[in-house]
Amino acid sequence: MLSLEPKDAVDGSINLAEYIDHTLLLPMLTPEQFDQGCEVALRYRFPSLCIPPCYVPLAVERLHGSPVQVSTVVGFPMGTATAEVKLYEAQLAVEQGCQELDVRINLAWLKAGELDRLHAEIAQLVEETGVCVKAILETALLTQEEKKLAGEVCIDAGVAFLMTSTGWMGGATVADVQLLWQLSQGKVAIKASGGIRTVAQAEAMIEAGANRLGTSWGLDLMQELHAKGSARA
């Protein structure tokens, strides 16, 4: 069962691989890069592999029978597609076997104060897909008050995770992870995403309250851990 309590990396209890959503979202992702990403996710048994929608059927085939969940993005990276388009995109991915959805919320509605529309869009996605929905807030573009409003709306709409960023417009910060964790009050999990490239950064996010880490640097993180372990030995 996913623990919603922050972990202390100092005591050595963190298994970093258990936190990583291995992310392959470059627009020019090649079949070779996709194959390598699958191999890495399977080797380290990451919780999920997050890939573009066009790769979902192939990822479902490659990861079948493994503990690695297939994850994709909805409304990525801008979030301003219509609610109907987002819903179709999400439903198609689920029909193809996708198990987790990282959904970019509509910041235009948030900043215009149209919170009912924002809530309705997310709630419909949650209800009609029936899978794990992670709401991408894009915290780098928000004021402190907007971060709180976005988080509250998404929690009320039934998401499983509050997620900091796409990584395209700024990344996760320890302060934002702490804010979202305090806001969630244990109701939902927190995913830190964007700019996490070192073990020190990853551990800081986990200590701040992150339950998942979205990063395309999963292999590098595992190699850094191995190198540190070898050095200590």
Side-chain angles (χ1 to χ4, degrees):
M1 186 180 209
L2 180 66
S3 171
L4 300 184
E5 290 297 320
K7 299 292 184 181
D8 183 359
V10 176
D11 65 8
S13 64
I14 291 179
N15 178 355
L16 189 56
E18 293 180 349
Y19 288 82
I20 293 175
D21 282 1
H22 193 44
T23 305
L24 307 173
L25 293 174
L26 289 176
M28 59 285 198
L29 181 68
T30 66
E32 292 76 21
Q33 290 170 324
F34 169 79
D35 288 341
Q36 182 188 43
C38 288
E39 291 172 7
V40 169
L42 288 167
R43 183 190 316 164
Y44 295 106
R45 300 171 72 86
F46 293 147
S48 86
L49 177 70
C50 188
I51 37 81
C54 64
Y55 276 99
V56 167
L58 188 55
V60 170
E61 178 183 331
R62 295 285 178 84
L63 301 177
H64 178 72
S66 81
V68 183
Q69 303 286 291
V70 176
S71 174
T72 194
V73 288
V74 175
F76 189 87
M78 302 302 293
T80 47
T82 65
E84 293 81 5
V85 167
K86 283 184 178 176
L87 180 60
Y88 177 79
E89 186 177 20
Q91 288 176 323
L92 179 59
V94 173
E95 288 171 8
Q96 292 174 333
C98 186
Q99 297 150 302
E100 300 188 358
L101 301 170
D102 289 11
V103 180
R104 175 67 150 74
I105 70 169
N106 191 323
L107 296 191
W109 289 348
L110 176 69
K111 288 182 174 287
E114 297 187 59
L115 303 184
D116 289 344
R117 295 182 72 183
L118 180 60
H119 182 281
E121 176 183 271
I122 301 300
Q124 185 179 32
L125 281 167
V126 170
E127 181 178 354
E128 298 200 22
T129 62
V131 299
C132 171
V133 172
K134 307 181 198 119
I136 308 173
L137 307 188
E138 207 68 87
T139 49
L141 303 183
L142 304 179
T143 66
Q144 290 297 98
E145 185 58 31
E146 287 169 342
K147 292 170 193 176
K148 293 176 183 177
L149 273 176
E152 289 168 355
V153 168
C154 291
I155 291 171
D156 191 62
V159 301
F161 281 78
L162 296 179
M163 183 172 163
T164 58
S165 325
T166 60
W168 289 60
M169 302 166 202
T173 68
V174 167
D176 281 340
V177 172
Q178 289 174 332
L179 174 66
L180 297 182
W181 181 78
Q182 292 166 0
L183 181 67
S184 73
Q185 298 181 345
K187 296 175 184 176
V188 301
I190 307 300
K191 178 175 173 179
S193 184
I196 303 170
R197 300 184 177 189
T198 68
V199 170
Q201 288 175 315
E203 290 180 340
M205 297 296 175
I206 293 168
E207 290 172 358
N211 309 100
R212 291 274 191 93
L213 306 173
T215 178
S216 59
W217 293 72
L219 177 59
D220 300 81
L221 291 172
M222 293 299 100
Q223 290 175 335
E224 183 186 342
L225 272 180
H226 179 73
K228 286 183 175 180
S230 299
R232 283 195 292 267

